[in-house]
Amino acid sequence: MTRDIIETDTTRLRLRQWRDSDLAPFFELACDPLVMEFLLPLPTRADSDAAVARTRSRIAESGWGFWAVEHRESGEFMGFTGLNSPAAELPFSPCVEIGWRFARRWWGHGYASEAARAALQVGFEQLGLQEIVAFTAWNNTRSAAVMQRIGMKEDIDGAFDHPLVPEGHALRRHRLYRIARPQR
């Protein structure tokens, strides 16, 4: 069943459904070793395009997901931010996670935090979620800083080995952050 697609704007950004024109800049982002430093890379254009197709399909089915992020003033694709129900069985499943990935040229301007706050707002106010989690490789201090800036708290006891990362891999150990729906 297809649902109405949720899209949202911030002062500087638009979180929206993916377009075909996003495929090339997303692949470029996925090929940047600094962007992918704490992620398992998307090695081919076909893999990158397939990831976008899966993301588009999830948004079309549920109305929400990892939205493409567009710079409102220039119309440029910047990366993605949004919400996702992880397919992997994690120690804290079921859950909804928040995540983001931006091309390096957009780093350092608060865009990830701005987009993530908008995604949190959708999750709590439109979807009625009670909690949203985030997780990242243990040494990914940049993503952890965004998690802290948007009000998430690290669950020290929630550290885990990600089941989709091979044993012995430097990125297997993950930290877990949580944020509860604000009480009014």
Side-chain angles (χ1 to χ4, degrees):
M1 176 176 155
T2 302
R3 300 188 185 257
D4 289 338
I5 293 176
I6 298 170
E7 296 184 325
T8 191
D9 291 334
T10 69
T11 304
R12 303 180 295 169
L13 310 173
R14 176 149 184 80
L15 281 63
R16 58 163 174 77
Q17 176 61 295
W18 293 73
R19 300 177 185 145
D20 290 344
S21 60
D22 300 328
L23 294 173
F26 179 69
F27 178 62
E28 186 178 323
L29 171 161
C31 290
D32 184 325
L34 274 179
V35 171
M36 300 303 287
E37 181 178 7
F38 300 103
L39 301 163
L40 298 178
L42 298 172
T44 68
R45 176 65 188 256
D47 290 338
S48 177
D49 289 355
V52 171
R54 284 189 304 275
T55 301
R56 281 172 109 163
S57 178
R58 286 185 192 137
I59 292 172
E61 289 170 15
S62 66
W64 55 276
F66 284 141
W67 295 283
V69 177
E70 178 181 300
H71 189 260
R72 285 182 62 188
E73 186 175 308
S74 69
E76 290 178 75
F77 172 86
M78 302 169 71
F80 72 79
T81 271
L83 305 168
N84 180 54
S85 295
E89 185 64 33
L90 302 171
F92 41 89
S93 292
C95 64
V96 172
E97 68 167 315
I98 187 169
W100 48 82
R101 191 176 314 160
F102 283 80
R104 194 173 358 149
R105 70 177 285 235
W106 302 106
W107 291 7
H109 301 284
Y111 294 124
S113 298
E114 184 176 331
R117 284 187 195 99
L120 287 176
Q121 185 174 7
V122 168
F124 292 134
E125 295 180 11
Q126 294 183 47
L127 303 178
L129 300 174
Q130 296 303 306
E131 178 184 66
I132 297 172
V133 301
F135 46 90
T136 188
W138 192 258
N139 52 349
N140 186 349
T141 56
R142 288 189 304 263
S143 270
V146 173
M147 293 168 192
Q148 292 165 10
R149 277 195 293 277
I150 64 173
M152 301 188 92
K153 304 291 182 214
E154 186 170 6
D155 179 346
I156 301 297
D157 297 326
F160 68 102
D161 290 336
H162 199 294
L164 298 181
V165 179
E167 285 193 41
H169 195 287
L171 300 179
R172 186 165 168 91
R173 193 71 177 157
H174 274 57
R175 2 170 35 155
L176 173 65
Y177 283 76
R178 299 175 182 270
I179 189 168
R181 181 186 183 130
Q183 300 301 311
R184 300 198 185 235

